[in-house]
Amino acid sequence: MNLSQFLPRLSGVRRGWAGYAAKCPAHDDKKQSLSVAESEGRILINCHAGCRPTDILRHLDLNFPDLFDKTITGPSHRSLGEPVAKTAAHSDFLVFQSSGTKKVHTVYPYTDENGKLLYENVRYFPKDFRQRRYDETGKAVWSLGDIERVPYRLPELIRGAKSGSDIFLCEGEKDADALGELGFTATSFKAWKPQFNAYLTGLDVIVVRDHDVPGRIQAEEAAAMILPAAASVKILDVWDGRDEPEKSGPDVSDLVRLCVQDEGLDTDAIKERISLMVERTQKWRAPVNPGSDDLFLCTQANTWLDQSKTQPVPKMLFGEFWFEKEVCILFADTNVGKSILAVQIADAVSRGQTKTICDRWGKRALKVECDGQKIIYFDFELTAKQFEARFSEQVKGSDTYANHYRFHPNFYRAEINPKATDLKGFVKFEEYLNHSIEKVVAATGAKILIVDNLTYLRDETENARSALPLMKYLKELKSKHDLSILALAHTPKRDSTKPLGRNDLQGSKMIINFCDSSFAIGESAMEPNLRYFKQIKARNTEIIYHSENVYLARIVKDTNFIKFVPAGSGIENLHLKFRSDTEKTAMIAEVKKLKAEGLNNTRIA
């Protein structure tokens, strides 16, 4: 049946805002409270006085399938309401200018618990929504102001809650009406507010989602909002099993329409089918970290403490310099020994035996408290041959290496595959790199990462805008895979007569603020291979390796393993470069010369 066949069965028919208005046959109607329109394969009916569609159809000697017609593909111009009126600008009203091409499609009334109209959500054709209320004179006001907000179909929701019925929350009023016509208690979760949860307390709730990506996301957000009040929550996708489109996927109204048009089912059969779908749907559980995509995770302080009680105290991975579950930054100038130290740390952690470390490092070995761990060393600096040279011996008179050091099976090294020229569908190399790192982590089951070096992950870290996404990525990677991360970084050209500090990290100093810990390697002026380690930032311990107590170590090549060997402790100032009087005089002369050439102080420095 189409609209031209349906309207003659009614009395008092006139054009209205939502297509047609007529007297409702299910009650003694004096003011034409029945709205009628057609769209998307069916005739739409809604009694503003609250009569159920099944009662209206019974008085017209019709059945539910009579409302459906395969020839209806969209709203006819005859079924649409008046064109949208142009509205003058006003600070309190919604300004909505129209060329007259939009027409009212459907009006969804929002009433109080007694059925008194509070406001309406008006759907237009082409698809658009606007809300309106009425002033004392009955004039439409296109702004809700401070009017009380209520759930859609509130009287039905209250009746269903009192009877203990399952409550269906749909993605919009259209779907709520479709399920309401089948006899379910249904409302819309669009514009749902936390205070509405009071209507759901202790009830089983089914969130009905559209079958597309936005539908999945919105349904999960709605489920998370109502979960604290409901006895249980399920997310129902009546099109489950089909490919999920990016947008504009089918909804539950489409299922009802096809059940009638293609299978000729009545309301009872459709209701039974949907009820079986609900029964087979698992109860929804909030993700372990439900706010992972939010900027803040907020809960009571005692909750944080209770959650933390189950987590072990972080263990040392490299003495007081680096602990488990930290994102740590190690920085130093070029050719000072960052990579040498990083491999030595990785070797120690992969074995997890402090005694072995003591044998290699000596009595002042820095502790490795954890058991042997799988560790990945992402090497963006050395080639495989250069790596081999450091951990083997060269045979005299030969161009080959021998006596190769044997790393523990827990030690993994990764480098860029030169044959991987295709970005595999990723737009940016950074995205492909991030994806590939996670893929390697998942494949190996590693819990510890060393990245040599940091600038390879982002080509710019010179400002906070660039540094923040980089550190955010490392933190997310750490949390997602329960990792400990050591990232190596360079220092810019610096004054070697001054102590090491956070300002010596290349790029934005904001990186130091975002990481958990940081330490630096300085080159001693006393002898060529002597280095000192200095803590720059620490959260799991106090800073003990500071300017007055730096950790000293020498670089040595012990047969087939290049490494640092402890050399005691010292005062940083004693290891800084000292300028002689001759050097100072020459520098002053150079400054005067550059000043005379017109350079400013910054350029001279």
Side-chain angles (χ1 to χ4, degrees):
M1 178 176 292
N2 56 37
L3 197 60
S4 61
Q5 297 168 319
F6 183 81
L7 290 176
R9 296 174 177 265
L10 303 172
S11 62
V13 177
R14 63 173 174 81
R15 291 297 299 269
W17 270 93
Y20 288 87
K23 292 182 179 180
C24 177
H27 74 281
D28 187 14
D29 194 0
K30 305 296 184 182
K31 55 181 182 180
Q32 296 163 305
S33 55
L34 182 67
S35 296
V36 184
E38 67 179 15
S39 177
E40 300 169 353
R42 64 167 299 184
I43 297 171
L44 307 172
I45 58 174
N46 180 54
C47 178
H48 296 276
C51 295
R52 295 186 302 174
T54 51
D55 293 333
I56 297 171
L57 293 173
R58 187 175 69 253
H59 281 81
L60 296 174
D61 197 25
L62 296 173
N63 295 314
F64 187 69
D66 293 325
L67 294 178
F68 293 79
D69 190 336
K70 289 185 178 181
T71 64
I72 302 174
T73 58
S76 69
H77 289 288
R78 295 188 309 137
S79 71
L80 294 175
E82 297 298 322
V84 178
K86 293 185 178 181
T87 308
H90 193 289
S91 60
D92 295 330
F93 293 165
L94 175 65
V95 179
F96 181 44
Q97 298 292 340
S98 171
S99 63
T101 58
K102 288 182 180 291
K103 288 191 174 185
V104 175
H105 180 290
T106 313
V107 176
Y108 300 109
Y110 282 71
T111 71
D112 64 13
E113 61 270 23
N114 298 315
K116 179 182 177 182
L117 181 66
L118 298 175
Y119 56 92
E120 297 171 333
N121 193 22
V122 183
R123 179 183 176 181
Y124 296 98
F125 182 85
K127 191 174 182 180
D128 196 7
F129 290 89
R130 295 289 184 270
Q131 292 178 314
R132 70 185 179 197
R133 58 187 169 91
Y134 297 91
D135 62 16
E136 297 79 9
T137 65
K139 181 181 178 181
V141 178
W142 295 96
S143 172
L144 297 187
D146 58 356
I147 196 168
E148 179 189 8
R149 308 304 199 269
V150 295
Y152 184 57
R153 300 173 62 94
L154 178 59
E156 293 87 346
L157 176 59
I158 293 175
R159 287 196 296 268
K162 286 183 178 179
S163 64
S165 300
D166 291 351
I167 308 298
F168 288 73
L169 266 65
C170 305
E171 191 179 333
E173 296 95 335
K174 180 190 70 171
D175 290 344
D177 286 344
L179 291 180
E181 290 176 352
L182 296 175
F184 293 110
T185 300
T187 182
S188 169
F189 65 73
K190 287 293 183 68
W192 189 267
K193 297 184 179 300
Q195 58 265 33
F196 296 171
N197 281 359
Y199 298 108
L200 307 176
T201 303
L203 298 174
D204 295 319
V205 179
I206 297 92
V207 177
V208 185
R209 54 160 288 199
D210 287 0
H211 187 67
D212 51 32
V213 174
R216 170 167 46 82
I217 296 172
Q218 293 174 22
E220 290 181 352
E221 290 175 349
M225 187 184 301
I226 65 177
L227 184 60
S232 69
V233 176
K234 293 182 177 181
I235 295 180
L236 175 64
D237 181 0
V238 297
W239 298 98
D240 189 31
R242 298 195 180 191
D243 291 340
E244 184 179 89
E246 285 293 322
K247 58 181 180 179
S248 303
D251 54 29
V252 68
S253 295
D254 295 316
L255 176 72
V256 173
R257 175 171 52 84
L258 291 178
C259 284
V260 175
Q261 292 181 344
D262 294 353
E263 300 182 49
L265 301 182
D266 58 16
T267 53
D268 291 337
I270 301 172
K271 184 177 182 180
E272 182 180 0
R273 177 174 295 185
I274 294 177
S275 296
L276 286 173
M277 292 180 179
V278 173
E279 185 176 331
R280 294 167 184 161
T281 301
Q282 296 293 320
K283 292 181 180 179
W284 184 80
R285 293 287 182 267
V288 176
N289 189 5
S292 60
D293 292 333
D294 297 331
L295 182 59
F296 294 105
L297 298 175
C298 182
T299 186
Q300 293 178 330
N302 289 332
T303 303
W304 290 109
L305 295 179
D306 292 340
Q307 292 174 348
S308 299
K309 289 177 184 176
T310 61
Q311 301 173 4
V313 176
K315 297 178 180 179
M316 292 180 182
L317 297 176
F318 181 54
E320 287 79 6
F321 291 104
W322 182 29
F323 284 79
E324 286 181 320
K325 315 307 178 191
E326 286 186 341
V327 173
C328 179
I329 305 296
L330 162 61
F331 62 94
D333 204 350
T334 304
N335 294 325
V336 171
K338 296 187 299 296
S339 300
I340 294 172
L341 179 62
V343 173
Q344 191 172 356
I345 293 172
D347 181 56
V349 171
S350 69
R351 300 178 186 278
Q353 300 174 11
T354 300
K355 181 179 183 302
T356 303
I357 309 308
C358 288
D359 290 343
R360 181 166 294 125
W361 280 71
K363 294 182 179 179
R364 278 186 53 82
L366 293 166
K367 289 183 179 180
V368 177
E369 294 181 329
C370 67
D371 295 329
Q373 303 264 358
K374 287 186 177 180
I375 184 168
I376 306 175
Y377 178 70
F378 286 94
D379 193 346
F380 300 123
E381 293 286 325
L382 302 179
T383 65
K385 200 65 181 178
Q386 291 167 339
F387 183 77
E388 179 195 15
R390 290 188 173 186
F391 303 103
S392 62
E393 292 183 285
Q394 187 170 9
V395 180
K396 288 185 179 181
S398 172
D399 58 356
T400 60
Y401 296 106
N403 189 27
H404 292 75
Y405 179 78
R406 301 309 298 171
F407 288 97
H408 193 279
N410 283 337
F411 189 119
Y412 292 84
R413 178 182 176 273
E415 66 174 38
I416 293 292
N417 179 6
K419 297 180 180 179
T421 57
D422 183 10
L423 294 184
K424 306 292 185 183
F426 291 91
V427 178
K428 295 181 179 180
F429 175 74
E430 288 177 3
E431 296 174 352
Y432 183 34
L433 178 65
N434 295 348
H435 166 78
S436 300
I437 288 175
E438 288 200 53
K439 188 175 180 180
V440 172
V441 170
T444 60
K447 290 301 178 184
I448 300 177
L449 267 62
I450 296 180
V451 181
D452 186 5
N453 67 64
L454 193 64
T455 53
Y456 203 91
L457 300 183
R458 292 291 188 280
D459 54 5
E460 290 186 19
T461 57
E462 298 300 323
N463 53 56
R465 181 175 294 181
S466 300
L468 179 58
L470 168 62
M471 298 309 298
K472 186 173 183 288
Y473 163 69
L474 291 178
K475 293 259 184 177
E476 289 176 349
L477 187 67
K478 179 190 78 168
S479 299
K480 184 176 181 179
H481 297 282
D482 195 28
L483 302 174
S484 308
I485 300 176
L486 176 65
L488 279 56
H490 292 303
T491 64
K493 189 173 183 180
R494 59 181 298 274
D495 187 348
S496 57
T497 66
K498 295 181 179 180
L500 279 167
R502 62 177 58 214
N503 290 332
D504 292 312
L505 174 61
Q506 182 173 348
S508 172
K509 309 309 175 291
M510 296 295 288
I511 292 178
I512 292 289
N513 295 340
F514 298 138
C515 69
D516 299 305
S517 60
S518 178
F519 67 102
I521 304 176
E523 195 169 9
S524 173
M526 288 186 174
E527 55 182 273
N529 290 331
L530 186 61
R531 306 287 189 266
Y532 65 89
F533 305 161
K534 181 181 179 182
Q535 286 174 280
I536 305 299
K537 180 180 180 180
R539 283 182 174 161
N540 279 305
T541 181
E542 62 177 315
I543 293 181
I544 61 173
Y545 297 110
H546 43 71
S547 296
E548 300 302 313
N549 183 42
V550 294
Y551 188 95
L552 299 177
R554 290 185 179 88
I555 299 177
V556 300
K557 177 73 179 289
D558 180 13
T559 61
N560 61 357
F561 194 92
I562 188 168
K563 62 185 180 182
F564 280 89
V565 174
S569 59
I571 299 173
E572 184 178 17
N573 281 342
L574 298 178
H575 297 273
L576 300 178
K577 185 176 180 181
F578 175 78
R579 289 198 178 97
S580 65
D581 291 339
T582 302
E583 290 175 318
K584 290 179 182 178
T585 301
M587 180 177 288
I588 292 171
E590 180 68 12
V591 169
K592 289 180 178 180
K593 175 177 175 291
L594 295 174
K595 191 72 174 179
E597 293 175 0
L599 273 67
N600 59 31
N601 291 341
T602 302
R603 292 291 303 277
I604 293 172

